């Protein structure tokens, strides 16, 4: 009998967005049936050992788009502002989708509101979802929606995606580029961070400008976390973190989740799925060297990026972990990267 996969807790996916965008179209599929569309469904998760993660709720600029045209990072329309009422409505649709999965899963999928609940679910072989917002456009300037979403189970927020909103400015998908591309937190962005600290909601620094990063570092009392970013020294994309930023993450006892998007991994920034797992392992080794063994985890960006064909989808997670092992990572460190570091940093955040 083959060994069970190492349990994985993943820091970022866009699976809810994919399902909501495809709902009612020819692309609609069940989360509970393995299919060729998408990186994550429940059968794929079980095959690959994916037992938990931060499930993102992202509102695209064209959230009513059913054209099926692939996302174009060069199209300014894909980075246009979204209005708060529309964003909240679309976020509610994604939250409702997650609730529906829980209800229809016969106890196999749970929304965890604490690390204790996530650990318990994972120990029983269930899929533990911790709800995350990527880009806080759904939240109003008075933060009323924050309270309501928190009550529903929200435990993590990226104040900004790669576009400006009332809270902060985001980095473009630019290569080569410094992450120092715009302004930082606004006054209401500072209020958002302070309230999230008080409530026990993690602040995610992936997508924020370097100025915004340092604003959060100055203001926040919690670990600095970038859920799905890589090392800028190895791939000079604006979406990746500089060595100085990594030093601040380490000082805060924070964490970086490795993003599998090929253009954030490769030193040439190419959108080439023929990218070796070794390239990802190189980022892992670099980040472990900069952050220590407790500061590195996985942040796949499944269902939101171009994943190396060598991984393909959630079923390929054992191949990634085997790549780490073949490169000299010990079993204890692999287990930390696979799940324990995420659960530990979420605990340190107060979740």
């Amino acid at each position: 009998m083959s060994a069970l996969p190492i349990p994985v807790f993943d820091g970022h996916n866009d699976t809810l967005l994919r399902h909501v965008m495809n709902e009612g179209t020819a692309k609609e599929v069940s989360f509970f049936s393995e299919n060729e569309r998408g990186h994550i469904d429940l059968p794929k998760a079980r095959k690959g050992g994916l037992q938990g993660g931060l499930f993102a709720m992202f509102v695209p600029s064209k959230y009513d788009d059913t054209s099926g045209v692939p996302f174009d990072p060069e199209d300014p329309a894909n980075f246009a502002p979204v209005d708060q009422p529309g964003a909240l409505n679309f976020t509610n649709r994604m939250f409702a989708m997650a609730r529906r999965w829980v209800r229809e899963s016969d106890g196999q999928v749970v929304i965890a509101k604490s690390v204790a609940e996530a650990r318990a679910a994972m120990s029983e072989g269930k899929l533990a979802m911790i709800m995350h917002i990527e880009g806080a456009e759904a939240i109003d300037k008075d933060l009323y929606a924050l309270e309501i979403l928190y009550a529903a189970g929200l435990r993590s927020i990226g104040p900004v995606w790669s576009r400006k909103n009332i809270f902060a400015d985001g980095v473009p998908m630019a290569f080569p580029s410094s992450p120092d591309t715009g302004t930082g937190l606004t006054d209401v962005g500072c209020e958002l961070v302070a309230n999230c600290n008080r409530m026990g909601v993690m602040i995610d620094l992936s997508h924020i400008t370097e100025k915004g990063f340092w604003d959060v570092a100055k203001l926040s009392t919690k670990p600095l976390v970038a859920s799905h970013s890589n090392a800028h020294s190895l791939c000079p994309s604006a979406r990746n973190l500089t060595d100085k930023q990594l030093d601040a993450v380490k000082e805060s006892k924070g964490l970086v989740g490795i993003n599998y998007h090929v253009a954030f991994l490769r030193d040439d920034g190419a959108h080439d799925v023929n990218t070796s797992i070794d390239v990802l392992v190189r980022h892992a080794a670099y980040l472990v060297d900069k952050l220590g063994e407790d500061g590195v985890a996985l942040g796949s960006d499944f269902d939101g990026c171009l994943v190396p064909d060598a991984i393909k989808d959630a079923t390929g997670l054992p191949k990634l972990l085997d790549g780490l092992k073949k490169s000299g990572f010990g079993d204890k460190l692999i287990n930390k990267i696979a799940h324990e570091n995420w659960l530990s940093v979420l605990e340190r955040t107060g979740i």
Side-chain angles (χ1 to χ4, degrees):
M1 189 166 108
S2 61
L4 291 173
I6 295 171
V8 170
F9 186 100
D10 180 62
H12 190 87
N13 70 68
D14 286 298
T15 304
L16 285 166
L17 171 65
R18 177 172 63 84
H19 277 265
V20 167
M21 292 291 282
N22 290 341
E23 193 173 20
T25 75
K27 292 184 177 181
E28 182 175 4
V29 293
S30 170
F31 181 69
F32 301 102
S33 300
E34 186 168 1
N35 57 81
E36 289 302 311
R37 291 198 173 105
H39 296 141
I40 297 176
D41 51 48
L42 191 57
K44 285 194 190 87
R46 285 179 168 155
K47 284 185 178 180
L50 179 63
Q51 292 191 357
L54 295 173
F55 277 68
M57 295 177 289
F58 165 65
V59 180
S61 293
K62 297 187 286 187
Y63 54 80
D64 57 351
D65 182 16
T66 58
S67 66
V69 176
F71 177 83
D72 180 2
E74 303 297 326
D75 183 357
N78 286 322
F79 300 86
V82 295
D83 65 285
Q84 190 268 328
L88 179 58
N89 182 63
F90 193 78
T91 298
N92 286 339
R93 286 180 62 190
M94 288 182 280
F95 227 132
M97 179 72 73
R99 298 287 303 180
R100 199 176 309 148
W101 290 349
V102 170
R103 186 174 66 249
E104 296 174 357
S105 72
D106 193 26
Q108 296 308 298
V109 179
V110 302
I111 292 176
K113 296 183 179 181
S114 67
V115 173
E117 290 182 6
R119 287 188 188 277
M122 292 172 68
S123 71
E124 296 171 2
K126 300 176 181 178
L127 179 65
M129 303 171 65
I130 291 182
M131 304 304 289
H132 167 78
I133 279 180
E134 182 179 30
E137 283 87 353
I139 298 172
D140 55 288
K141 64 181 178 61
D142 297 306
L143 308 184
Y144 298 141
L146 175 62
E147 297 284 351
I148 302 303
L149 291 166
Y150 178 85
L154 180 70
R155 292 297 181 269
S156 177
I157 292 177
V160 67
W161 182 67
S162 292
R163 64 189 172 212
K164 195 177 185 70
N165 63 23
I166 65 170
F167 301 105
D169 201 353
V171 294
M173 311 267 181
F175 180 96
S177 173
S178 162
D180 187 14
T181 60
T183 58
L185 291 178
T186 63
D187 289 344
V188 70
C190 292
E191 292 177 19
L192 177 67
V193 171
N195 275 272
C196 286
N197 276 187
R198 175 180 58 79
M199 297 168 72
V201 175
M202 189 185 78
I203 294 293
D204 178 17
L205 297 169
S206 288
H207 285 284
I208 204 165
T209 63
E210 189 171 1
K211 287 184 175 66
F213 176 99
W214 294 116
D215 286 344
V216 174
K218 182 177 179 181
L219 178 64
S220 179
T221 60
K222 304 296 183 179
L224 300 177
V225 172
S227 69
H228 57 305
S229 295
N230 297 326
H232 192 271
S233 289
L234 301 184
C235 172
S237 166
R239 275 283 283 104
N240 289 336
L241 299 175
T242 66
D243 285 353
K244 187 176 179 183
Q245 288 175 301
L246 294 176
D247 289 342
V249 171
K250 181 179 182 179
E251 186 177 349
S252 75
K253 295 182 170 55
L255 176 146
V256 173
I258 300 168
N259 191 319
Y260 305 172
H261 181 44
V262 292
F264 302 158
L265 289 167
R266 297 173 59 97
D267 58 9
D268 61 1
H271 290 72
D272 184 358
V273 295
N274 294 312
T275 296
S276 169
I277 285 176
D278 292 342
V279 179
L280 196 151
V281 171
R282 183 172 174 236
H283 279 266
Y286 188 90
L287 291 170
V288 168
D289 182 62
K290 295 296 293 183
L291 300 171
E293 293 193 356
D294 297 331
V296 184
L298 303 177
S300 67
D301 212 354
F302 275 149
D303 285 318
C305 75
L306 286 176
V307 175
D309 277 348
I311 298 174
K312 186 179 178 183
D313 55 35
T315 63
L317 290 170
K319 295 179 183 177
L320 169 58
L321 299 181
D322 187 55
L324 294 175
K325 189 175 184 67
K326 288 178 178 176
S327 295
F329 287 62
D331 291 344
K332 182 178 179 181
L333 176 55
I334 290 172
N335 274 280
K336 284 186 172 187
I337 292 172
H339 60 270
E340 188 55 46
N341 284 347
W342 260 123
L343 296 171
S344 295
V345 81
L346 289 166
E347 283 179 328
R348 294 196 297 274
T349 303
I351 295 171

